[in-house]
């Protein structure tokens, strides 16, 4: 595994892998500065690698079951932490359990998935967070699709309706957005919200009627506000912005988990790509396709296919912590985008890129037999703690991307 910024041998292979017509380069431009780690020869994920990843996931996820609390993750060599159902990460472990059940059809996974989803359903009526898409939306949507119990699927559908209404209470008609939080007292929105707003669209579309249409409108407009205010001209994203809630005007950036307010936090870019792709899949709105393409193209032109970036796309220090979770979230988003992309050449490029990156993520040292959790070398909040770790969101999006990859035609 070589540690190189650009012109890695792997990038050359990636060019061959991605040799389809595309209006933007799929590998790093010569002056790109993002620090990345690339395999010697990036190749699309193989069936054997997929089997190995699912088998490691089965061992690790089973080992985390037992207590009623929800697995969070471990930073460095510290203890593996667990949380109540009210942490922003609470939905990721139940989501991984549903994906295990979908992959294996084993009733033991169904029992666990239903049990852990049950823990998070009461959170749906909580108005104290904007992260209800992660916490309730993700596991309840998977449960509604996969659980054979009609009693439980009714409960999941009801929780989704409640969660969408709870999130909708944060709507501000001047900003045209759902408030993420008050950051230092400022009315603020975070790019991560791109992953929560699609729940409003999905629930609203299912419900229909005046109430349902309002949910769809709010979810869609929130995504359009992100596209207009957070996506820079070059396709990179801001992390947090403060708005004036009376006029709707942007009042300035707010520092979050990235290198600076002018940089591009890797996981923020990944949330944007994935969220815009989901929102376009739901709405067919060309403004969201444009945002998905621009954010995806920024990523692929800074991180060669098969490579794993540092925690911020403006980091140039090759010793800096990586964020493999950002690569997993991006791969998952690119597979969604590839499925719905209206341009066939772009679709092939995004798909090839995602499969090459999954080929790396499914290998050591990113996925290892003797680790804790499934996906290693993720970063949570580097400015607060620079150690890499293993976290439940990286696990869930790796499995989600593996499940999507398995549905592709050869
Ligand atoms: N939503 C917090 C994070 O991605 O770290």
């Amino acid at each position: 595994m070589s540690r190189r910024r650009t012109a890695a041998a792997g990038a050359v292979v990636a060019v061959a892998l991605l040799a389809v017509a595309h209006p933007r380069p799929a590998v790093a431009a010569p002056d790109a500065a993002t620090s990345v780690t690339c395999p010697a020869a990036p190749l699309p994920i193989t069936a054997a690698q997929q089997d190995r990843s699912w088998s490691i996931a089965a061992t690790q996820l089973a080992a985390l079951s037992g207590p009623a609390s929800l697995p969070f993750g471990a930073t460095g060599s510290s203890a593996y932490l667990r949380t109540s159902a009210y942490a922003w990460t609470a939905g990721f472990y139940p989501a991984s359990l549903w994906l295990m059940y979908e992959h294996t059809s084993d009733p033991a996974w169904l029992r666990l998935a239903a049990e852990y989803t049950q823990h998070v359903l009461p959170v749906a009526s909580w108005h104290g967070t904007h992260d209800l898409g992660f916490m309730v939306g993700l596991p309840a949507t998977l449960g509604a699709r996969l659980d054979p119990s009609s009693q439980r699927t009714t409960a999941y559908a009801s929780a989704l309706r409640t969660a969408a209404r709870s999130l909708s209470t944060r709507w501000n008609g001047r900003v045209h957005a759902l408030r993420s939080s008050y950051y230092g007292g400022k009315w603020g929105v975070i790019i991560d919200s791109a992953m929560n707003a699609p729940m409003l669209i999905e629930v609203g579309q299912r419900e229909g009627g005046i109430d349902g249409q309002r949910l769809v409108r709010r979810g869609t407009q929130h995504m359009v506000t992100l596209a207009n205010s957070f996506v820079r001209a070059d396709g990179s994203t801001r992390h947090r912005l403060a708005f004036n809630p009376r006029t709707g005007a942007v009042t300035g950036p707010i520092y979050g988990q990235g290198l600076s307010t002018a940089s591009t936090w890797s996981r923020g870019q990944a949330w944007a790509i994935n969220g815009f792709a989901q929102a376009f899949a739901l709405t067919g709105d060309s403004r969201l396709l444009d945002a998905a393409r621009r954010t995806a193209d920024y990523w692929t032109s800074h991180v060669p296919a098969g490579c794993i970036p540092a925690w911020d796309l403006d980091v140039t220090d090759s010793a800096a912590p990586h964020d493999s979770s950002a690569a997993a979230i991006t791969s998952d988003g690119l597979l969604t985008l590839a499925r719905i992309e209206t341009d066939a050449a772009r679709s092939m490029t995004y798909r090839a890129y995602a499969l090459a990156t999954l080929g790396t993520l499914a290998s050591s040292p990113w996925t290892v037999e003797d680790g804790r959790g499934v996906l290693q070398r993720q970063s949570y909040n580097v400015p607060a703690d620079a150690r890499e770790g293993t976290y439940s969101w990286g696990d869930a999006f790796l499995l989600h991307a593996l499940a999507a990859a398995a549905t592709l035609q050869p």
Side-chain angles (χ1 to χ4, degrees), residues 88 131 134 192 257 265 267 271 380 393:
W88 75 274
D131 273 323
F134 284 140
D192 317 23
Q257 282 150 266
W265 178 48
R267 195 161 61 256
W271 291 140
Y380 180 23
W393 59 87

Side-chain angles (χ1 to χ4, degrees), residues 293-338:
R293 284 176 172 172
R294 290 172 57 219
T295 50
D297 292 349
Y298 185 85
W299 180 286
T300 59
S301 57
H302 285 73
V303 183
C307 302
I308 309 302
W311 62 284
D312 188 292
L313 297 182
D314 286 282
V315 163
T316 58
D317 172 7
S318 62
H322 297 78
D323 189 2
S324 60
S325 78
I329 295 159
T330 296
S331 299
D332 182 58
L334 291 180
L335 289 176
T336 303
L337 190 52

Side-chain angles (χ1 to χ4, degrees), residues 158-208:
S158 162
L160 285 168
R161 284 195 300 274
T162 304
R165 278 177 177 68
S166 299
L167 181 53
S168 182
T169 62
R170 305 170 87 82
W171 176 253
N172 180 300
R174 302 271 176 182
V175 182
H176 295 292
L178 304 152
R179 180 176 53 79
S180 302
S181 192
Y182 287 111
Y183 298 107
K186 294 177 179 160
W187 197 105
V189 178
I190 190 168
I191 193 64
D192 317 23
S193 64
M195 299 295 284
N196 292 312
M199 177 178 68
L200 258 62
I201 304 173
E202 201 167 356
V203 169
Q205 287 176 338
R206 203 171 306 121
E207 272 185 32

Side-chain angles (χ1 to χ4, degrees), residues 34-380:
T34 301
S35 175
V36 295
T37 294
C38 308
L43 291 169
I45 188 166
T46 63
Q49 284 178 310
Q50 295 193 32
D51 289 348
R52 174 180 169 275
S53 301
W54 285 109
S55 152
I56 290 172
T59 307
Q60 297 303 334
L61 296 173
L64 292 170
S65 68
S69 54
L70 281 304
F72 168 81
T75 307
S77 57
S78 63
Y80 196 103
L81 300 179
R82 305 180 74 95
T83 70
S84 79
Y86 288 82
W88 75 274
T89 49
F92 297 125
Y93 180 68
S96 293
L97 297 173
W98 282 119
L99 294 164
M100 286 306 309
Y101 172 56
E102 183 179 34
H103 182 70
T104 60
S105 304
D106 182 339
W109 291 115
L110 170 62
R111 272 195 303 280
L112 278 180
E115 177 190 330
Y116 278 91
T117 301
Q118 206 56 44
H119 293 317
V120 298
L121 296 186
V123 179
S125 55
W126 187 35
H127 291 193
T129 182
H130 82 109
D131 273 323
L132 290 169
F134 284 140
M135 298 159 78
V136 177
L138 193 55
T141 300
L142 285 165
R145 179 163 67 78
L146 297 169
D147 198 325
S149 155
S150 62
Q151 197 184 349
R152 287 196 298 260
T153 51
T154 303
Y156 305 146
S158 162
L160 285 168
R161 284 195 300 274
T162 304
R165 278 177 177 68
S166 299
L167 181 53
S168 182
T169 62
R170 305 170 87 82
W171 176 253
N172 180 300
R174 302 271 176 182
V175 182
H176 295 292
L178 304 152
R179 180 176 53 79
S180 302
S181 192
Y182 287 111
Y183 298 107
K186 294 177 179 160
W187 197 105
V189 178
I190 190 168
I191 193 64
D192 317 23
S193 64
M195 299 295 284
N196 292 312
M199 177 178 68
L200 258 62
I201 304 173
E202 201 167 356
V203 169
Q205 287 176 338
R206 203 171 306 121
E207 272 185 32
I210 305 237
D211 266 14
Q213 283 165 14
R214 187 186 305 117
L215 292 175
V216 173
R217 221 169 31 244
R218 289 182 174 182
T220 306
Q221 286 186 357
H222 181 89
M223 297 303 292
V224 170
T225 296
L226 292 183
N228 292 340
S229 301
F230 280 73
V231 183
R232 301 183 184 108
D234 63 2
S236 67
T237 51
R238 299 183 172 88
H239 186 183
R240 292 176 182 163
L241 284 176
F243 290 83
N244 180 327
R246 285 175 298 284
T247 65
V250 173
T251 57
I254 303 172
Y255 179 66
Q257 282 150 266
L259 195 59
S260 74
T261 54
S263 78
T264 304
W265 178 48
S266 298
R267 195 161 61 256
Q269 190 75 14
W271 291 140
I273 295 164
N274 199 309
F276 285 130
Q278 285 185 53
F280 172 62
L282 289 165
T283 60
D285 188 317
S286 60
R287 295 169 295 180
L288 301 177
L289 174 60
D290 181 60
R293 284 176 172 172
R294 290 172 57 219
T295 50
D297 292 349
Y298 185 85
W299 180 286
T300 59
S301 57
H302 285 73
V303 183
C307 302
I308 309 302
W311 62 284
D312 188 292
L313 297 182
D314 286 282
V315 163
T316 58
D317 172 7
S318 62
H322 297 78
D323 189 2
S324 60
S325 78
I329 295 159
T330 296
S331 299
D332 182 58
L334 291 180
L335 289 176
T336 303
L337 190 52
R339 181 169 54 76
I340 54 179
E341 176 49 82
T342 51
D343 176 313
R346 277 181 173 277
S347 170
M348 282 173 65
T349 300
Y350 294 141
R351 168 184 161 142
Y353 184 100
L355 294 179
T357 304
L358 285 176
T360 303
L361 289 172
S363 318
S364 174
W366 313 102
T367 310
V368 295
E369 260 94 8
D370 56 355
R372 296 180 295 171
V374 185
L375 185 62
Q376 313 301 313
R377 307 194 66 176
Q378 308 179 43
S379 285
Y380 180 23

